[in-house]
Amino acid sequence: MEPKSKSQELFIAADNQVGQIVAKAVELERNRRRDGTKTPKNELVKFIKETVS
Amino acid sequence: MIISKITLSNFRQFRGKQEIHFAEPGEKNVTVVHAENGFGKTALLNALHWGFWGKTTSDFTEPDKIITDSLSAVEGNRDLEASVEIWYSHQDEEFCLKRSLSIAQQRINPKSTQVELRRVAHGVPEEPPYLNPGSKIEAHLPRAMGDMFFFNGENLDQLSLEKNASHIKDAIYKVLGLELLESAENIAKESVSALNAELRKHADHDAQALIDQQAQCEEILSDLNNEKSELEKNTAALSKDVINLEHQLEANKEAKIEQQRRKDIDNNIKNLDKHLADKEEEIGKFITGRAYYLFASDLVLSGKSAVQRLEQQGKIPAKFTSTVLQDVLNSGKCICATNLSDHSECRKAIESLIEAAADRSLDDATQTIKTALSNFSSIEGYEEEFIKLKTKHDELKSNLSQLRDERKEVSRRIKGLDDEDAQDLEGQLQATTEKIRGYEYEIRDKEKTISEKEKLNHSLNEQIGAAKQSNEAASLLQRQREITEQSRKLMVKILEAEKEDLRTHLNTEISTEFTRIMLHKYDANLNSDFRLKVEKDMGHGTQSVGLSTGQRQITSLVFIAALVKLARKRKDIPTILAGLWGGDFPMVMDSPFGQLGETYRGKIAEWLPTIAPQVVIFVSDSQWRGPVEEQVDQKIGKEYILEYHANALKENASEKAVIRGIQYEQFIEDEEEFTKINAI
């Protein structure tokens, strides 16, 4: 198994919902940069509400 | 990213349509453009900056005149357009971007340019162009990277100055993808605020008050941060002015000598400042840890003499204690078996001994004090050590004050030179430096207030998270905001971990490249504040080194090279930012050998082709000849010379360039002023 970096270890150790939100925020920001769209704040809030219910 | 071609149309002095094809990665990965100073090297570098980002470098004169006055004045040129077209490949795809500006638009707003970006298939740009070309280009090559990778070597030394740590941090964040995490954390922060606003509608009165308080606190924080960033921008702009003023002063021969002297003094002041700060820290630690010894010296002496007196009087140590005698009396029998009946002589004798005997606890206490006092025996050593530290500190302070006086004297001499230009420049330089110092004080003040407000914000945040809610909707929103807040905090931790991880990798690259180039046994590294430090090993530790302009230029170059190398390896470094690619980036350098002596020129010339997959060098004849030509010659894939047309030759420029023993015309006397790009 490949050695994990400290950031990967932090991510793995995080609570499931917390991890999902981090991954989603990074994904939204990456898409925003790729497509040149506006800050996806509302999309993240929508995702949070679906995930934490 | 690899650039294959640039086409200039009426961009500054490059009239008509002219192009440069760049050498591809491989054995011969270097493109050389020969040009005398003033013939168009800086304009060429700026064609790349303008083409990619619509901006020019700070040292580019008249940036709002992309189409020159002489060209726009020609009758029939009313519809003339300037453009830069760049063909490049990025992640196995090819692209063509074109930025243009018409004369009419230049008159209204020269910053408003037209840009089109197209994917290229089989050598042909596809239709339609991308809808958001700016974002696409920024994703392929962020502007901060451009500043790092397309640079003017004459100003490069500035990058290694401590005050430019923020540029270094920016570049690392952008080149290595950390900016993505930083922005993601911002989205999470905004989401917490949005959830807060919603929670306020459903929450109890107390929680509402806390939310309002936090919103207010965040607003103040945002204002403070904006003000701070405005001050930082102003400082950065003024710092650039200082560089330009210093360069102009250097152009004046007399001022140049004094200017160099002042720079040397500045380096010494910087070093002494650092040593003084270290010494103050050492004294601080000494005082915190051991200073009470020094202040207790009188007490220790009187304590010692009191104990001594008691010993001389035979009072301590006690021969027997009152407790033992009392036990004997209570038992009614002496240790010699004599009965101790009331009023008996023996009983009276023991009772009188009790009065003279020491109290047990007093005896123990005296012994403890004696042991403690003996620990102070090294007090004289501490005093000596403290005096040594203080003497060194005072010596440094006095040297520093002498240097500052010397600096003032040099500045006064520059101002007093019999040259109005130099006097004026010096006056401007001093005023600008003073302004920068003022801004720096303001920034420190803002930072202090920001830190206080951040603490308050954090505490309010905790209180909102812990506040009891009386209805289900509010409880759910509170949980959602709490988990989002936890996510945001995790992002901050991850960012910190990734930053440290990359800094370690970067330091390995910097150290390797630096030892390859530097003749002295110095080591360079980035500290946790992203300050580029050069140190030498003193055997018992390291010491910061003051560098010459040339050495600072090499240090900056090494940092950029290390960054380019790390960008290529990025995909192999473990990260949570899945999908980050390793990027190939070109390095485009205008006069990279400008400030270097002959020895370093040869070394740098040998090293440059190895640091990036594609290397472009703009170089004057005098910088080219000798070791540079020898080292780079075998690596050249494409080569050009700029032919300058004008009615007079510029000062210090020569009409012909000699390349590999062959003479090339580089100046043509002409009524019109323009530059032609000729392939060699």
Coordinates of all heavy atoms in Angstrom, one line a residue, chain A residues 2-11 14-15 17-23 25-37 39-42 44-45 48-50 52-53, chain B residues 132 135-136 139 179-181 183-185 187-188 190-192 194-195 198 476-477 479-481 483-484 486-488 490-491 493-495 497-498 501 574-580:
Chain A
E2 N 0.5 2.2 -0.8 CA 1.3 3.4 -0.9 C 1.2 4.3 0.4 O 0.2 4.3 1.0 CB 0.8 4.3 -2.1 CG 1.4 3.9 -3.4 CD 1.1 4.9 -4.5 OE1 1.0 6.1 -4.2 OE2 1.0 4.4 -5.6
P3 N 2.3 4.9 0.8 CA 2.3 5.7 2.0 C 1.3 6.9 1.8 O 1.2 7.5 0.7 CB 3.7 6.2 2.2 CG 4.4 6.1 0.9 CD 3.7 5.0 0.2
K4 N 0.6 7.2 2.9 CA -0.4 8.4 2.8 C 0.3 9.6 3.3 O 1.1 9.6 4.2 CB -1.6 8.1 3.7 CG -2.4 6.8 3.2 CD -3.6 7.2 2.6 CE -4.4 6.0 2.1 NZ -3.8 5.1 1.2
S5 N -0.1 10.7 2.7 CA 0.4 12.0 3.2 C -0.4 12.4 4.4 O -1.5 11.8 4.7 CB 0.3 13.1 2.1 OG -1.1 13.4 1.9
K6 N 0.1 13.4 5.2 CA -0.6 13.8 6.4 C -2.0 14.3 6.0 O -3.0 14.0 6.7 CB 0.1 14.9 7.1 CG -0.4 15.1 8.5 CD 0.3 16.2 9.3 CE -0.5 16.6 10.5 NZ -0.1 17.9 11.0
S7 N -2.2 15.0 4.9 CA -3.5 15.6 4.5 C -4.4 14.4 4.2 O -5.6 14.5 4.5 CB -3.3 16.5 3.3 OG -2.9 15.8 2.2
Q8 N -3.9 13.4 3.6 CA -4.8 12.2 3.2 C -5.2 11.5 4.5 O -6.4 11.1 4.6 CB -4.0 11.2 2.3 CG -3.9 11.8 0.9 CD -3.0 10.9 0.0 OE1 -2.0 10.4 0.5 NE2 -3.4 10.7 -1.2
E9 N -4.3 11.4 5.5 CA -4.7 10.8 6.7 C -5.7 11.6 7.5 O -6.7 11.0 8.0 CB -3.4 10.7 7.6 CG -2.6 9.5 7.3 CD -1.2 9.5 8.0 OE1 -1.1 10.3 8.9 OE2 -0.4 8.6 7.6
L10 N -5.6 12.9 7.4 CA -6.6 13.8 8.1 C -8.0 13.6 7.4 O -9.0 13.5 8.1 CB -6.2 15.3 7.9 CG -5.1 15.8 8.8 CD1 -4.6 17.2 8.3 CD2 -5.7 16.0 10.2
F11 N -8.0 13.5 6.1 CA -9.2 13.3 5.4 C -9.9 12.0 5.7 O -11.1 11.9 5.9 CB -8.9 13.4 3.9 CG -10.1 13.4 3.0 CD1 -11.0 14.5 3.0 CD2 -10.4 12.3 2.2 CE1 -12.1 14.5 2.2 CE2 -11.5 12.3 1.4 CZ -12.4 13.4 1.4
A14 N -11.5 11.8 9.1 CA -12.7 12.7 9.4 C -14.0 12.0 9.4 O -14.1 10.9 8.8 CB -12.7 13.8 8.3
D15 N -15.0 12.6 10.1 CA -16.3 12.1 10.1 C -16.8 12.0 8.6 O -16.5 12.8 7.8 CB -17.2 13.1 10.9 CG -18.6 12.9 10.7 OD1 -19.2 12.1 11.5 OD2 -19.2 13.5 9.8
Q17 N -19.7 12.6 7.0 CA -20.4 13.8 6.5 C -19.4 14.9 6.2 O -19.5 15.6 5.2 CB -21.5 14.2 7.4 CG -22.7 13.3 7.4 CD -23.8 13.6 8.4 OE1 -23.5 14.3 9.4 NE2 -25.0 13.3 8.1
V18 N -18.5 15.1 7.2 CA -17.5 16.2 7.1 C -16.6 15.9 5.8 O -16.4 16.8 5.0 CB -16.6 16.3 8.3 CG1 -15.4 17.2 8.1 CG2 -17.4 16.7 9.5
G19 N -16.2 14.7 5.6 CA -15.4 14.3 4.5 C -16.1 14.6 3.2 O -15.5 15.1 2.2
Q20 N -17.4 14.2 3.2 CA -18.2 14.4 1.9 C -18.3 15.9 1.6 O -18.2 16.3 0.4 CB -19.6 13.9 2.1 CG -19.7 12.4 2.1 CD -21.2 11.9 2.3 OE1 -22.1 12.4 1.6 NE2 -21.4 11.0 3.2
I21 N -18.5 16.7 2.6 CA -18.6 18.2 2.3 C -17.3 18.8 1.8 O -17.3 19.5 0.9 CB -19.1 18.9 3.6 CG1 -20.6 18.5 3.9 CG2 -19.0 20.4 3.4 CD1 -21.1 19.0 5.2
V22 N -16.2 18.3 2.4 CA -14.9 18.8 1.9 C -14.7 18.4 0.5 O -14.3 19.2 -0.4 CB -13.7 18.2 2.8 CG1 -12.3 18.5 2.2 CG2 -13.8 18.7 4.2
A23 N -14.9 17.1 0.2 CA -14.8 16.7 -1.2 C -15.6 17.4 -2.2 O -15.2 17.8 -3.3 CB -15.1 15.2 -1.3
A25 N -16.9 20.5 -1.8 CA -16.4 21.9 -1.9 C -15.3 22.0 -2.9 O -15.2 22.9 -3.8 CB -16.0 22.5 -0.6
V26 N -14.3 21.0 -2.8 CA -13.2 21.0 -3.7 C -13.6 20.8 -5.2 O -13.2 21.4 -6.1 CB -12.1 20.0 -3.3 CG1 -11.0 19.8 -4.3 CG2 -11.5 20.4 -1.9
E27 N -14.6 19.8 -5.3 CA -15.1 19.5 -6.6 C -15.8 20.7 -7.3 O -15.5 21.0 -8.4 CB -16.0 18.3 -6.5 CG -16.6 17.8 -7.9 CD -17.9 17.0 -7.7 OE1 -18.0 16.3 -6.7 OE2 -18.8 17.2 -8.6
L28 N -16.6 21.4 -6.5 CA -17.3 22.5 -7.0 C -16.4 23.6 -7.4 O -16.5 24.3 -8.5 CB -18.3 23.1 -5.9 CG -19.5 22.2 -5.7 CD1 -20.3 22.8 -4.4 CD2 -20.5 22.2 -6.9
E29 N -15.3 23.8 -6.6 CA -14.4 24.9 -6.9 C -13.6 24.5 -8.2 O -13.3 25.4 -9.0 CB -13.5 25.1 -5.7 CG -12.4 26.2 -5.9 CD -12.9 27.5 -6.3 OE1 -14.1 27.8 -6.2 OE2 -12.1 28.3 -6.9
R30 N -13.2 23.2 -8.3 CA -12.5 22.8 -9.5 C -13.4 23.0 -10.8 O -12.9 23.6 -11.8 CB -12.1 21.4 -9.4 CG -11.3 20.9 -10.6 CD -10.9 19.5 -10.6 NE -9.9 19.2 -9.6 CZ -10.0 18.4 -8.5 NH1 -11.1 17.8 -8.3 NH2 -9.0 18.2 -7.7
N31 N -14.7 22.7 -10.7 CA -15.6 22.9 -11.8 C -15.7 24.4 -12.2 O -15.8 24.7 -13.3 CB -16.9 22.3 -11.5 CG -16.9 20.8 -11.4 OD1 -15.9 20.2 -11.7 ND2 -17.9 20.2 -10.9
R32 N -15.8 25.2 -11.1 CA -15.9 26.6 -11.3 C -14.8 27.1 -12.1 O -14.9 27.9 -13.0 CB -16.0 27.3 -10.0 CG -16.2 28.8 -10.1 CD -16.1 29.5 -8.8 NE -14.7 29.7 -8.4 CZ -13.9 30.6 -8.9 NH1 -14.3 31.4 -9.8 NH2 -12.6 30.6 -8.4
R33 N -13.6 26.7 -11.7 CA -12.4 27.2 -12.4 C -12.3 26.7 -13.9 O -12.0 27.4 -14.8 CB -11.1 26.7 -11.7 CG -10.8 27.5 -10.6 CD -9.9 26.8 -9.6 NE -9.8 27.6 -8.4 CZ -8.8 28.2 -8.0 NH1 -7.7 28.2 -8.7 NH2 -8.8 28.9 -6.9
R34 N -12.8 25.4 -14.1 CA -12.8 24.8 -15.4 C -13.8 25.5 -16.3 O -13.5 25.9 -17.5 CB -13.1 23.3 -15.3 CG -12.8 22.6 -16.6 CD -13.4 21.2 -16.5 NE -14.8 21.3 -16.2 CZ -15.5 20.3 -15.5 NH1 -14.8 19.3 -15.0 NH2 -16.7 20.5 -15.2
D35 N -15.0 25.8 -15.8 CA -16.0 26.3 -16.6 C -16.2 27.8 -16.6 O -16.9 28.4 -17.3 CB -17.4 25.7 -16.3 CG -17.3 24.2 -16.3 OD1 -16.4 23.7 -17.0 OD2 -18.0 23.5 -15.5
G36 N -15.4 28.5 -15.6 CA -15.5 29.9 -15.5 C -16.9 30.4 -15.0 O -17.3 31.5 -15.4
T37 N -17.5 29.6 -14.1 CA -18.8 30.0 -13.6 C -18.7 30.8 -12.3 O -17.6 30.9 -11.8 CB -19.7 28.8 -13.4 OG1 -18.9 27.8 -12.7 CG2 -20.2 28.2 -14.7
T39 N -19.2 31.6 -8.1 CA -18.9 30.9 -6.8 C -20.1 30.0 -6.5 O -21.2 30.5 -6.4 CB -18.6 31.9 -5.7 OG1 -17.7 32.8 -6.1 CG2 -18.1 31.2 -4.5
P40 N -19.8 28.7 -6.3 CA -20.9 27.7 -6.1 C -21.4 27.6 -4.7 O -21.6 26.5 -4.2 CB -20.3 26.4 -6.6 CG -18.9 26.6 -6.4 CD -18.5 28.0 -6.4
K41 N -21.6 28.8 -4.0 CA -21.9 28.8 -2.6 C -23.3 28.0 -2.4 O -23.4 27.2 -1.5 CB -22.0 30.2 -2.0 CG -22.4 30.3 -0.6 CD -22.7 31.7 -0.2 CE -23.9 32.3 -0.8 NZ -24.2 33.7 -0.4
N42 N -24.3 28.4 -3.2 CA -25.6 27.8 -3.0 C -25.6 26.3 -3.3 O -26.4 25.6 -2.6 CB -26.6 28.5 -4.0 CG -26.8 30.0 -3.5 OD1 -26.5 30.3 -2.4 ND2 -27.2 30.8 -4.5
L44 N -23.2 24.3 -2.7 CA -22.7 23.6 -1.5 C -23.7 23.5 -0.4 O -23.9 22.5 0.3 CB -21.4 24.2 -1.0 CG -20.7 23.5 0.1 CD1 -20.2 22.1 -0.4 CD2 -19.5 24.2 0.7
V45 N -24.5 24.6 -0.2 CA -25.5 24.7 0.9 C -26.6 23.6 0.6 O -27.0 22.8 1.4 CB -26.2 26.1 1.0 CG1 -27.4 26.0 1.9 CG2 -25.1 27.1 1.5
I48 N -25.2 20.3 1.5 CA -25.1 20.1 2.9 C -26.5 19.7 3.4 O -26.6 18.7 4.2 CB -24.6 21.4 3.6 CG1 -23.2 21.7 3.3 CG2 -24.8 21.3 5.1 CD1 -22.7 23.1 3.5
K49 N -27.5 20.3 2.9 CA -28.9 20.0 3.4 C -29.3 18.6 3.0 O -30.0 17.9 3.8 CB -29.9 21.0 2.9 CG -29.6 22.4 3.5 CD -30.8 23.3 3.3 CE -30.6 24.5 4.1 NZ -31.7 25.4 4.1
E50 N -28.8 18.1 1.9 CA -29.2 16.8 1.5 C -28.4 15.8 2.3 O -28.9 14.7 2.7 CB -28.8 16.5 0.0 CG -29.8 17.1 -1.0 CD -29.2 17.2 -2.4 OE1 -28.1 16.7 -2.6 OE2 -29.8 17.9 -3.2
V52 N -26.8 16.3 5.4 CA -27.1 16.3 6.9 C -28.6 16.6 7.1 O -29.0 17.7 7.0 CB -26.3 17.5 7.6 CG1 -26.4 17.4 9.1 CG2 -24.8 17.4 7.2
S53 N -29.4 15.5 7.2 CA -30.8 15.8 7.3 C -31.3 15.0 8.6 O -30.7 14.2 9.1 CB -31.5 15.3 6.1 OG -31.1 14.0 5.8
Chain B
N132 N -15.7 31.3 -22.1 CA -15.0 32.0 -21.0 C -13.5 31.8 -21.2 O -12.8 31.1 -20.5 CB -15.3 31.4 -19.7 CG -16.8 31.5 -19.4 OD1 -17.3 32.6 -19.3 ND2 -17.4 30.3 -19.2
S135 N -11.0 32.6 -18.1 CA -10.9 31.5 -17.1 C -10.1 30.3 -17.6 O -9.4 29.7 -16.8 CB -12.3 31.0 -16.7 OG -13.2 32.1 -16.6
K136 N -10.4 30.0 -18.8 CA -9.7 28.9 -19.4 C -8.1 29.1 -19.4 O -7.4 28.2 -19.0 CB -10.1 28.7 -20.9 CG -11.2 27.7 -21.0 CD -10.7 26.3 -21.1 CE -11.8 25.3 -21.4 NZ -11.6 24.0 -20.7
A139 N -6.8 28.9 -16.1 CA -6.6 27.5 -15.6 C -5.4 26.9 -16.2 O -4.7 26.0 -15.6 CB -7.9 26.7 -16.0
E179 N -4.2 26.8 -4.1 CA -5.2 27.8 -4.2 C -6.6 27.2 -4.2 O -7.6 27.8 -3.8 CB -4.9 28.7 -5.4 CG -5.3 30.1 -5.2 CD -5.5 30.8 -6.6 OE1 -5.5 30.0 -7.6 OE2 -5.6 32.0 -6.6
L180 N -6.7 26.1 -4.9 CA -8.0 25.4 -5.0 C -8.6 25.1 -3.6 O -9.8 25.3 -3.4 CB -7.7 24.1 -5.8 CG -8.9 23.2 -6.1 CD1 -9.8 24.0 -7.2 CD2 -8.5 21.9 -6.7
L181 N -7.7 24.6 -2.7 CA -8.2 24.3 -1.3 C -8.6 25.6 -0.6 O -9.5 25.6 0.1 CB -7.0 23.6 -0.6 CG -7.1 22.1 -0.4 CD1 -5.8 21.7 0.3 CD2 -8.3 21.7 0.4
S183 N -9.7 28.3 -1.9 CA -11.0 28.8 -2.4 C -12.1 27.9 -1.9 O -13.2 28.4 -1.6 CB -11.0 28.8 -3.9 OG -10.0 29.5 -4.4
A184 N -11.9 26.6 -1.8 CA -12.9 25.7 -1.3 C -13.2 26.0 0.1 O -14.4 25.9 0.5 CB -12.4 24.2 -1.5
E185 N -12.2 26.4 0.9 CA -12.5 26.7 2.3 C -13.4 28.0 2.4 O -14.2 28.1 3.2 CB -11.2 27.0 3.0 CG -11.3 27.1 4.5 CD -10.8 28.4 5.1 OE1 -9.8 28.9 4.6 OE2 -11.5 29.0 6.0
I187 N -15.6 28.8 0.2 CA -17.0 28.5 -0.2 C -17.7 27.9 1.1 O -18.8 28.2 1.4 CB -17.1 27.4 -1.3 CG1 -16.3 27.9 -2.5 CG2 -18.5 27.1 -1.6 CD1 -16.2 26.8 -3.6
A188 N -16.9 27.1 1.8 CA -17.5 26.5 3.1 C -17.8 27.6 4.1 O -18.9 27.6 4.7 CB -16.5 25.5 3.7
E190 N -18.6 30.7 3.4 CA -19.8 31.4 2.9 C -21.0 30.6 3.2 O -22.1 31.1 3.5 CB -19.7 31.7 1.4 CG -18.7 32.8 1.1 CD -18.4 32.9 -0.4 OE1 -19.0 32.2 -1.2 OE2 -17.6 33.8 -0.8
S191 N -20.9 29.3 3.1 CA -22.0 28.4 3.3 C -22.4 28.5 4.8 O -23.6 28.4 5.1 CB -21.7 26.9 3.0 OG -21.3 26.9 1.6
V192 N -21.4 28.5 5.7 CA -21.8 28.7 7.1 C -22.5 30.0 7.3 O -23.6 30.0 8.1 CB -20.5 28.7 8.0 CG1 -20.8 29.0 9.4 CG2 -19.7 27.3 7.9
A194 N -24.4 31.5 5.2 CA -25.8 31.3 4.6 C -26.7 30.5 5.6 O -27.8 30.9 5.8 CB -25.7 30.6 3.3
L195 N -26.1 29.5 6.2 CA -26.8 28.7 7.1 C -27.1 29.5 8.4 O -28.2 29.3 9.0 CB -26.1 27.4 7.5 CG -26.0 26.4 6.3 CD1 -24.9 25.3 6.6 CD2 -27.4 25.7 6.1
E198 N -30.1 31.6 7.8 CA -31.4 30.8 7.9 C -31.7 30.4 9.3 O -32.9 30.5 9.7 CB -31.2 29.6 7.0 CG -32.5 29.1 6.4 CD -32.2 28.0 5.4 OE1 -31.2 28.0 4.7 OE2 -33.1 27.1 5.4
L476 N -31.9 21.3 13.4 CA -31.3 20.8 12.2 C -30.4 21.7 11.5 O -29.2 21.4 11.2 CB -32.5 20.4 11.2 CG -32.0 19.8 9.9 CD1 -31.2 18.5 10.1 CD2 -33.2 19.5 9.0
L477 N -30.8 23.0 11.4 CA -29.9 24.0 10.8 C -28.6 24.2 11.6 O -27.5 24.3 11.1 CB -30.6 25.3 10.7 CG -31.6 25.5 9.6 CD1 -32.6 26.6 9.8 CD2 -30.8 25.7 8.3
R479 N -27.2 21.8 13.4 CA -26.3 20.7 13.1 C -25.6 20.8 11.8 O -24.5 20.6 11.6 CB -27.2 19.4 13.2 CG -26.3 18.2 13.5 CD -27.1 17.0 13.9 NE -27.9 16.4 12.9 CZ -29.3 16.4 13.0 NH1 -29.9 16.9 14.0 NH2 -30.0 15.8 12.0
Q480 N -26.4 21.3 10.8 CA -25.9 21.5 9.4 C -24.7 22.5 9.4 O -23.7 22.3 8.8 CB -27.0 21.9 8.4 CG -27.9 20.8 8.1 CD -29.2 21.3 7.4 OE1 -29.5 22.5 7.5 NE2 -29.9 20.3 6.9
R481 N -24.9 23.6 10.1 CA -23.9 24.6 10.2 C -22.6 24.1 10.9 O -21.5 24.4 10.6 CB -24.4 26.0 10.7 CG -24.3 26.1 12.2 CD -24.7 27.5 12.7 NE -23.5 28.4 12.8 CZ -22.5 28.2 13.5 NH1 -22.3 27.1 14.3 NH2 -21.5 29.1 13.6
I483 N -21.6 21.0 11.2 CA -20.8 20.0 10.3 C -20.1 20.8 9.2 O -18.9 20.5 8.9 CB -21.7 18.9 9.8 CG1 -22.1 18.0 11.0 CG2 -21.1 18.1 8.7 CD1 -23.0 16.8 10.7
T484 N -20.7 21.8 8.7 CA -20.0 22.6 7.7 C -18.8 23.3 8.3 O -17.8 23.4 7.7 CB -21.0 23.7 7.1 OG1 -22.2 23.0 6.8 CG2 -20.5 24.3 5.8
Q486 N -17.1 22.3 10.8 CA -16.1 21.2 11.0 C -15.4 21.0 9.7 O -14.1 20.8 9.7 CB -16.7 19.9 11.5 CG -17.0 20.0 13.0 CD -17.8 18.7 13.4 OE1 -17.6 17.6 12.9 NE2 -18.6 18.8 14.4
S487 N -16.1 20.9 8.6 CA -15.5 20.7 7.3 C -14.5 21.8 6.9 O -13.5 21.6 6.4 CB -16.6 20.6 6.2 OG -17.6 19.8 6.6
R488 N -15.0 23.0 7.2 CA -14.1 24.2 7.0 C -12.8 24.1 7.7 O -11.7 24.3 7.2 CB -14.8 25.5 7.3 CG -14.1 26.7 6.8 CD -14.7 28.0 7.4 NE -14.5 28.1 8.9 CZ -13.3 28.4 9.4 NH1 -12.3 28.7 8.7 NH2 -13.2 28.5 10.7
L490 N -11.4 21.4 8.9 CA -10.6 20.3 8.3 C -9.9 20.8 7.1 O -8.7 20.5 6.9 CB -11.5 19.1 8.0 CG -10.8 17.9 7.3 CD1 -9.8 17.3 8.3 CD2 -11.8 16.8 6.9
M491 N -10.5 21.6 6.3 CA -9.9 22.1 5.1 C -8.6 23.0 5.4 O -7.6 22.9 4.8 CB -10.8 23.0 4.2 CG -11.8 22.1 3.5 SD -12.8 23.2 2.4 CE -14.4 22.6 2.7
K493 N -6.8 22.6 8.1 CA -5.8 21.7 8.6 C -5.1 21.0 7.4 O -3.9 20.8 7.3 CB -6.4 20.6 9.5 CG -6.6 21.1 10.9 CD -6.9 19.9 11.7 CE -7.4 20.3 13.1 NZ -8.1 19.2 13.8
I494 N -6.0 20.6 6.4 CA -5.4 19.9 5.2 C -4.5 20.8 4.4 O -3.4 20.5 4.0 CB -6.6 19.4 4.3 CG1 -7.3 18.2 5.0 CG2 -6.1 19.0 3.0 CD1 -8.5 17.7 4.3
L495 N -5.0 22.1 4.3 CA -4.2 23.1 3.6 C -2.8 23.3 4.2 O -1.8 23.3 3.6 CB -4.9 24.4 3.5 CG -4.3 25.6 2.8 CD1 -4.1 25.2 1.3 CD2 -5.1 26.8 2.9
A497 N -1.3 21.1 6.2 CA -0.5 19.9 6.0 C 0.1 19.8 4.6 O 1.3 19.5 4.4 CB -1.3 18.7 6.3
E498 N -0.7 20.2 3.6 CA -0.2 20.1 2.2 C 0.9 21.1 2.0 O 1.9 20.9 1.3 CB -1.4 20.3 1.2 CG -2.4 19.2 1.3 CD -2.6 18.5 0.0 OE1 -2.3 19.0 -1.1 OE2 -3.0 17.3 0.0
D501 N 4.0 19.9 3.5 CA 4.5 18.8 2.7 C 5.3 19.3 1.4 O 6.4 18.9 1.1 CB 3.3 18.0 2.3 CG 3.7 16.5 2.1 OD1 4.8 16.1 2.5 OD2 2.9 15.8 1.4
P574 N 1.6 12.8 -3.0 CA 0.3 12.4 -2.5 C -0.5 13.7 -2.0 O 0.1 14.6 -1.4 CB 0.5 11.6 -1.2 CG 1.9 11.1 -1.4 CD 2.7 12.1 -2.2
T575 N -1.8 13.8 -2.4 CA -2.6 14.9 -2.1 C -4.0 14.5 -2.0 O -4.4 13.5 -2.6 CB -2.4 16.1 -3.1 OG1 -3.3 17.1 -2.9 CG2 -2.6 15.6 -4.5
I576 N -4.9 15.3 -1.3 CA -6.3 15.0 -1.4 C -6.9 15.7 -2.6 O -8.1 15.4 -3.0 CB -7.1 15.4 -0.1 CG1 -7.3 16.9 -0.1 CG2 -6.5 14.9 1.1 CD1 -8.7 17.2 0.4
L577 N -6.2 16.5 -3.3 CA -6.7 17.2 -4.5 C -6.6 16.3 -5.7 O -5.7 16.5 -6.5 CB -5.9 18.5 -4.7 CG -6.0 19.5 -3.6 CD1 -4.9 20.6 -3.8 CD2 -7.4 20.1 -3.5
A578 N -7.4 15.3 -5.7 CA -7.3 14.3 -6.8 C -7.4 15.0 -8.1 O -8.1 16.0 -8.3 CB -8.4 13.3 -6.6
G579 N -6.7 14.5 -9.1 CA -6.9 15.0 -10.5 C -5.9 16.1 -10.8 O -5.9 16.7 -11.8
L580 N -5.0 16.5 -9.8 CA -4.0 17.5 -10.1 C -3.0 16.9 -11.1 O -2.5 15.8 -10.9 CB -3.2 17.9 -8.8 CG -3.9 19.0 -8.0 CD1 -2.9 19.4 -6.9 CD2 -4.2 20.2 -8.8

